[in-house]
Amino acid sequence: MNLPTINIDDIDIKLRLDDLVLNVLYVKFGYFHQTMPKHSHSHGSYELHYIPRGRGLLIANGLQYTLTPGTLFMTGPEVEHEQIPDQTDPMAEYCIFFEIISGPFHLKQNSKDLSRKGLLSRWLLDTPFWIGPDQENMMTLFEMLAWEVSLKPIGFHHMATNILEMIVARTIRHYHQGPIAVLNAPVKTLNDSRLVAIENSFLYDYQSITLKQLADKIGLSTRQTERTVQKQYGMSFKDKKWQARMEAAAQLLLTTDLLIREVAIAAGFSTPERFSHSFKKYYDQSPSKYRSEHRVDGING
C-alpha cells in the first residue's frame, strides 16, 4: 500500500502547546535513498520524525540508534544527528519542522522556572532528544493530515492545525510512560462553578430553593446572587424559579400518569388550586387541558 504524501511549506500554521506557540516551518514526506548529512537545529527549533516503513541508522550526539517501521524521534536544538538509510530497504519518513516563537523557551531549562508550566511544554523543553517506538497510532494521524491538505475541504486549515497539535502532543507523551501524579488540566473558574450550581439548583431544587439558600451555596450575598441570575437568564430569581417549576410540571403532565394534585406536590405547591392558578397564568391553559392537547399517545410505551 502506498503511503500518503504530505508537503506543507507555504501554509501558515501555528500550534498551541500549553503556554508555548509553535510555528510550523514545514511538514514533508519522502524516502531516504542517500544519507542525510550531520546537522543540528538552531535554538528553539525542533524536528519530529516518524518512520512508517523501511530501515536505517540514526546517529545522534555520537550514539547510534536503529530505525525500523514505527520508530518515532524528536531532535531539538543543537542535537547533532544524521540518518543513514538501508539501501536494501530505504526509509520512508514524515518530518515536521517547527520553532517555538512564544513562551518560556529562552529559560535555560530551569526546573524551578518551568514548574508552573504545563507538563507537555516542560517535557519538550527539558528533552532536546528522544527516540522510541510509536505507541500512539501516529500513522492514523498522518493519514488524516494527508487527506485534509490534499483535498482541502472547508475548514481544512483548522483541522490540519488540530491534527498537528495532536501529533506533537502524542509524541511528547511518549517521553514519560506510565501514570503521572501531577494533573495539569485547567480547572473551572469560580464563576464557572457558580453557574453550574445555579443551573443545578433550578433543575433539581426548583420546588424549594430560596434566594438565600442559593446565595449561601455559591458564596455570594443575596443581592449579588439576584444580579447574577438576572445577568444569566434575563429575569429575576423569583421569575426563574417560577419558570423552572412550571416547565418541570409541564414535563410531568406530558410524560407521567400522575394526578394533577400529585404533579402539584412534585412541583412544590401546597395545594392543587394554587398550582392550577399558577400554571394557567404561565401557559394560559389549565393543567388538564395542557395535558390533553400536548401529550403524545403512548409516551410511556
Side-chain angles (χ1 to χ4, degrees):
M1 184 181 71
N2 292 330
L3 295 170
T5 299
I6 302 175
N7 185 17
I8 302 174
D9 56 11
D10 59 352
I11 303 175
D12 182 21
I13 297 180
K14 303 292 192 298
L15 312 179
R16 298 289 308 187
L17 183 71
D18 297 330
D19 52 354
L20 302 181
V21 177
L22 313 179
N23 180 38
V24 177
L25 299 171
Y26 63 71
V27 183
K28 294 184 181 297
F29 169 79
Y31 282 87
F32 279 88
H33 296 283
Q34 296 180 343
T35 296
M36 172 65 70
K38 183 187 295 184
H39 64 289
S40 61
H41 307 304
S42 61
H43 185 58
S45 297
Y46 293 78
E47 213 168 34
L48 188 160
H49 311 255
Y50 175 65
I51 310 297
R53 182 179 298 171
R55 297 177 181 277
L57 185 68
L58 169 70
I59 302 176
N61 287 335
L63 299 178
Q64 295 186 5
Y65 304 89
T66 301
L67 300 177
T68 57
T71 300
L72 186 65
F73 64 100
M74 184 87 80
T75 51
E78 302 174 6
V79 175
E80 288 191 342
H81 60 286
E82 61 180 306
Q83 290 167 253
I84 305 170
D86 182 337
Q87 295 298 333
T88 65
D89 189 12
M91 293 179 298
E93 180 186 87
Y94 291 100
C95 179
I96 303 171
F97 185 39
F98 62 89
E99 61 175 342
I100 301 173
I101 60 173
S102 177
F105 65 93
H106 57 281
L107 303 176
K108 298 179 180 179
Q109 272 73 45
N110 186 316
S111 59
K112 181 179 179 181
D113 292 330
L114 294 172
S115 62
R116 298 183 300 273
K117 310 304 177 185
L119 283 179
L120 291 177
S121 59
R122 180 177 180 180
W123 291 345
L124 176 66
L125 295 170
D126 281 347
T127 313
F129 174 73
W130 179 89
I131 185 169
D134 170 29
Q135 299 183 35
E136 294 269 358
N137 196 20
M138 303 293 279
M139 191 61 222
T140 298
L141 293 179
F142 282 105
E143 289 172 345
M144 292 170 60
L145 181 62
W147 187 89
E148 292 290 342
V149 298
S150 63
L151 298 182
K152 293 183 172 57
I154 294 174
F156 85 92
H157 182 269
H158 177 74
M159 291 297 296
T161 300
N162 288 343
I163 295 168
L164 282 166
E165 286 183 346
M166 290 177 65
I167 290 173
V168 172
R170 285 190 178 188
T171 299
I172 298 171
R173 284 203 306 208
H174 284 76
Y175 295 7
H176 293 266
Q177 294 299 315
I180 301 298
V182 179
L183 299 177
N184 66 320
V187 298
K188 288 185 179 296
T189 66
L190 182 58
N191 284 338
D192 290 335
S193 299
R194 283 171 174 160
L195 179 57
V196 172
I198 293 171
E199 288 276 352
N200 287 339
S201 293
F202 288 125
L203 185 60
Y204 301 113
D205 301 325
Y206 55 85
Q207 306 98 325
S208 59
I209 190 71
T210 67
L211 181 60
K212 178 65 167 58
Q213 289 171 339
L214 182 57
D216 291 342
K217 183 179 294 188
I218 64 176
L220 295 177
S221 67
T222 54
R223 185 176 179 183
Q224 290 172 316
T225 301
E226 182 69 73
R227 284 203 299 260
T228 300
V229 172
Q230 183 69 44
K231 178 181 177 181
Q232 292 296 331
Y233 301 104
M235 63 183 75
S236 67
F237 170 85
K238 180 180 179 181
D239 287 342
K240 179 58 185 173
K241 179 180 176 180
W242 182 39
Q243 179 192 67
R245 295 170 83 186
M246 292 299 96
E247 290 178 349
Q251 185 72 3
L252 290 173
L253 289 170
L254 298 182
T255 60
T256 73
D257 292 321
L258 292 175
L259 300 175
I260 299 298
R261 59 181 175 81
E262 293 173 325
V263 173
I265 295 172
F269 287 88
S270 56
T271 66
E273 291 76 20
R274 294 188 65 176
F275 166 65
S276 295
H277 175 76
S278 185
F279 191 92
K280 187 172 183 179
K281 183 178 180 182
Y282 188 84
Y283 284 104
D284 200 29
Q285 286 182 314
S286 69
S288 57
K289 186 175 181 180
Y290 182 90
R291 170 178 270 174
S292 64
E293 289 190 2
H294 296 279
R295 180 160 178 162
V296 177
D297 291 338
I299 192 72
N300 292 315

